[in-house]
Amino acid sequence: MDNNSMNVSDVATLHRKLDLLLQTGCFLMDCSADTVMIVRNMKRVADHWELDERLLNVYINYNVLMLNYSNNEKSYTKFQKCVKHGIDMDAVTRVSHLTWRAIKYNYDVEKYAEELDRIKRMPRHYTPWQVATAAGFACGGFCIQFGCDWPAFFYASVAAILGFRLRMFLMAKGANNYISICAAAFVSTILAWLSSFISLSPTLAHAMPSCVISDTPWHPLLACALFIVPGVPLINFVSDMLNGHIQTGLIRALNTLLMVIAMVFGITFAIDFCGIDNFVHDLSMVPHHNYIEFAIAAAISAIGFSTIFNTPRQLLPIIAVGGIIAVCCRNFVNLGPSTGNTGLDQGIVIGSLAGSTLISLICAMATHWFHTPHQCLSIPSVIPMVPGVLMYRALFAFVDMQGVVGEVTAGMHYFIMASLIILVIAAGVAVPNIFIRRMWQNKRKIRYYNLLMQRRREQAAKVRASQ
């Protein structure tokens, strides 16, 4: 399109195209796509509509997207807000497929707008209670990874289910997001504390069957609120930083920090209310399960969080396998004889890097098998490794300071460990994908330009036939 010879119709068409490009980018941002994916999909559609990439400028912020199309004489600029910021892996996948279909089947502007609106209107795959139940069992899976037994897994799950459902209810009523998080964390922790009396009270323990008595009654308090930990924004934050989108990454990080702080305050209020003495520092997180139990817990956690992310049902078994591979690889490298386990004994940081890198490499190949973006497979698979407990232990240590020697050291230890683990998980997800993408980039470009050339040949043939 030549900006020097635009008539009124051309200008209106250009504005319509810019509007749809902004809608595409904002929708992807609202669904928690990373910035690289947003830019890639927007430019793919722009090329399809023959907008000169040299004249197109894209600015992406967490809350606002801007497009500018200009030459030396005229400039056209559009803005659009991003306000939702949920997580919807199904929508991310569908938009990616739409951009390829638009090229393959030569969608005009109105056809593309119709298909994009159809994706926006699609209902989520899971009901609120299904999401809450799956999220609760995901927290139970975390609890197993921290060393609890299966009765404690059940108690952690029930507490998390009810806490998560409360958060959904409050959000639906228009409550502030951070207040909802604080209330959900408070209720989940109170319920987990109440469940401990089943095993700790001699009267209740005597009246209950042995299958509901837990040898680790305090562990549910570690995991019952982990549905709040924003694993996807954490990974996207590091991914954006690594790819040069500093501002967007920092805003994602700040939003994540505020969510974790709200969770910590909710847990702190519950601990003070219950009079629990220092369980955050003293309760061991070293597991002593066999790898079959680790695999079951990892699969449960991966599937549970995938429902929160609205991952399509047909991908759940694949993500469950991905979670098993990531967690078992992490545990094998991390654990060892020093903790009474089988493994290489290399520590949690090296183990997390190994697990996330391995599953990212596998997912980079699986994207071509299942026609799904890398992010939609790799992130749900590594979510069971996100160190939510270390994050809130670090903040809790600072919030609950009472002047005891070593409190700052303990808080800094948890903070540094959590930060390093998040960094290596995100690097493991992002870096292999970058290298693999470089290997396949030429094939993708060939496919892409072949589709464009095929479309243009068809258009030329229609023009010749009409003459």
Side-chain angles (χ1 to χ4, degrees), residues 272-422:
D272 289 342
F273 176 81
C274 300
I276 302 171
D277 184 21
N278 207 26
F279 91 96
V280 171
H281 301 294
D282 297 340
L283 191 61
S284 173
M285 292 171 48
V286 177
H288 295 283
H289 299 295
N290 58 53
Y291 279 85
I292 295 176
E293 291 179 289
F294 286 144
I296 295 172
I300 292 172
S301 294
I303 291 175
F305 279 100
S306 294
T307 61
I308 301 176
F309 306 156
N310 196 37
T311 303
R313 295 179 189 273
Q314 63 270 21
L315 292 179
L316 293 183
I318 300 161
I319 291 171
V321 173
I324 291 171
I325 293 172
V327 169
C328 288
C329 176
R330 187 273 308 270
N331 287 353
F332 181 74
V333 176
N334 169 31
L335 303 174
S338 67
T339 57
N341 290 281
T342 301
L344 301 180
D345 223 352
Q346 296 299 306
I348 186 66
V349 176
I350 300 299
S352 298
L353 177 62
S356 60
T357 301
L358 176 61
I359 195 58
S360 181
L361 289 169
I362 294 172
C363 288
M365 295 182 286
T367 56
H368 299 273
W369 305 336
F370 303 108
H371 305 290
T372 301
H374 180 270
Q375 180 188 30
C376 298
L377 291 177
S378 60
I379 291 183
S381 297
V382 302
I383 286 297
M385 296 196 300
V386 172
V389 170
L390 293 177
M391 293 168 61
Y392 86 66
R393 274 189 164 183
L395 289 174
F396 183 85
F398 293 117
V399 169
D400 198 48
M401 280 187 181
Q402 298 176 359
V404 178
V405 175
E407 284 180 325
V408 175
T409 302
M412 288 303 299
H413 168 74
Y414 292 132
F415 175 77
I416 292 171
M417 290 299 296
S419 301
L420 286 174
I421 293 169
I422 292 167

Side-chain angles (χ1 to χ4, degrees), residues 94-235:
R94 290 181 183 275
V95 171
S96 179
H97 290 172
L98 172 61
T99 60
W100 283 107
R101 287 202 313 274
I103 298 171
K104 184 175 182 179
Y105 299 110
N106 194 20
Y107 285 178
D108 60 16
V109 172
E110 297 308 319
K111 176 63 175 175
Y112 181 87
E114 177 186 337
E115 290 294 310
L116 184 61
D117 287 338
R118 184 180 64 83
I119 294 173
K120 291 181 179 180
R121 293 193 305 269
M122 292 186 69
R124 294 180 74 89
H125 292 291
Y126 311 99
T127 66
W129 273 109
Q130 287 176 331
V131 174
T133 302
F137 282 109
C139 293
F142 270 114
C143 199
I144 291 291
Q145 294 184 48
F146 302 149
C148 82
D149 53 21
W150 289 99
F153 160 87
F154 173 76
Y155 298 135
S157 299
V158 171
I161 289 169
L162 297 176
F164 190 88
R165 193 67 187 91
L166 173 64
R167 180 190 175 190
M168 297 176 76
F169 173 78
L170 293 175
M171 293 292 291
K173 295 299 181 180
N176 178 273
N177 181 40
Y178 305 115
I179 298 298
S180 301
I181 288 172
C182 185
F186 176 83
V187 169
S188 294
T189 306
I190 290 290
L191 292 173
W193 171 70
L194 291 174
S195 73
S196 67
F197 287 97
I198 297 174
S199 302
L200 296 177
S201 171
T203 304
L204 289 176
H206 181 73
M208 294 290 182
S210 60
C211 62
V212 301
I213 305 302
S214 172
D215 293 327
T216 55
W218 292 112
H219 276 71
L221 279 81
L222 287 174
C224 64
L226 290 184
F227 58 82
I228 295 169
V229 175
V232 173
L234 277 172
I235 294 173

